[in-house]
Amino acid sequence: QSALTQPASVSGSPGQSITISCTGTSSDVGGYNYVSWYQQHPGKAPKLMIYDVSNRPSGVSNRFSGSKSGNTASLTISGLQAEDEADYYCSSYTSSSTHVFGGGTKLTVL
Amino acid sequence: QVQLVQSGAEVKKPGASVKVSCKASGYTFTSYGISWVRQAPGQGLEWMGWISAYNGNTNYAQKLQGRVTMTTDTSTSTAYMELRSLRSDDTAVYYCARAYGDDPWEAFDIWGQGTMVTVSS
């Protein structure tokens, strides 16, 4: 199972919006509404930000939103804040009954 | 509060085995699955497998089939991940993560603190 494709890095200024893409295939992202997104700060465990494509767990800011079109899922962060600077990973359930992660995207807040 | 507490760091020689534990608290252990995810130094996340804490069903990543075994002990609300025939590229931080429910497709909502496993001669 190949990793999902994410941009290596994205950046934005405080207050702006950014979008991180996550491209897979019809056997994972395109075939299931089981895409999730994780935020990871250096030296910390990942944190669930979005599950089932567009749902936010309790406690996650509504500045974070998710969507999907075909084989590509997206995470949008609006009103960018300094604390959003982190690595972001997408994940999808697959037709092999496994999960696959994206390679990760480093978000820099300028 | 809901938390997963993992066992401490391990240093192993190539060819050895390691068993990492993950003790759950603050929720009904058998109502949720547990996935294991690892992260090599400076690298991304890699899903290793999932176990149902309800009935012990497992799904493993194909590349680890035959080397990994995931188990649970419901009497102590603890999950275990054993990896055998260790190689240098198994050096990583190993995380346990609670699945959002007891189905294999669920996202991972609660994470342990991570266990560093170093494989070195």
Side-chain angles (χ1 to χ4, degrees), chain A residues 1 34 36 38 40 43-48 50-52 56-58 89 91 93 97-103, chain B residues 35 37 39 43-47 50 59-62 95 100 103-114:
Chain A
Q1 184 75 45
Y34 298 131
S36 50
Y38 301 87
Q40 186 180 35
K44 301 295 187 182
K47 175 186 176 183
L48 178 65
I50 295 288
Y51 68 97
D52 295 353
R56 273 188 314 275
S58 173
Y89 295 90
S91 177
Y93 189 65
S97 301
T98 62
H99 289 257
V100 61
F101 282 99
Chain B
S35 268
V37 176
Q39 186 170 36
Q43 302 301 307
L45 302 175
E46 179 185 12
W47 182 82
W50 165 90
N59 291 334
Y60 298 138
Q62 185 174 10
Y95 293 102
Y100 214 59
D103 292 308
W105 52 79
E106 303 283 6
F108 321 127
D109 65 338
I110 303 294
W111 292 67
Q113 83 276 19

Side-chain angles (χ1 to χ4, degrees), chain A residues 14-81:
Chain A
Q16 288 186 330
S17 294
I18 63 96
T19 296
I20 300 172
S21 62
C22 170
T23 301
T25 69
S26 58
S27 295
D28 38 64
V29 174
Y32 302 91
N33 287 325
Y34 298 131
V35 175
S36 50
W37 290 90
Y38 301 87
Q39 176 192 66
Q40 186 180 35
H41 288 108
K44 301 295 187 182
K47 175 186 176 183
L48 178 65
M49 306 303 286
I50 295 288
Y51 68 97
D52 295 353
V53 175
S54 59
N55 293 311
R56 273 188 314 275
S58 173
V60 172
S61 170
N62 59 10
R63 298 185 298 106
F64 292 82
S65 62
S67 63
K68 189 185 85 166
S69 178
N71 295 338
T72 298
S74 299
L75 172 72
T76 298
I77 308 174
S78 60
L80 212 54
Q81 299 180 359

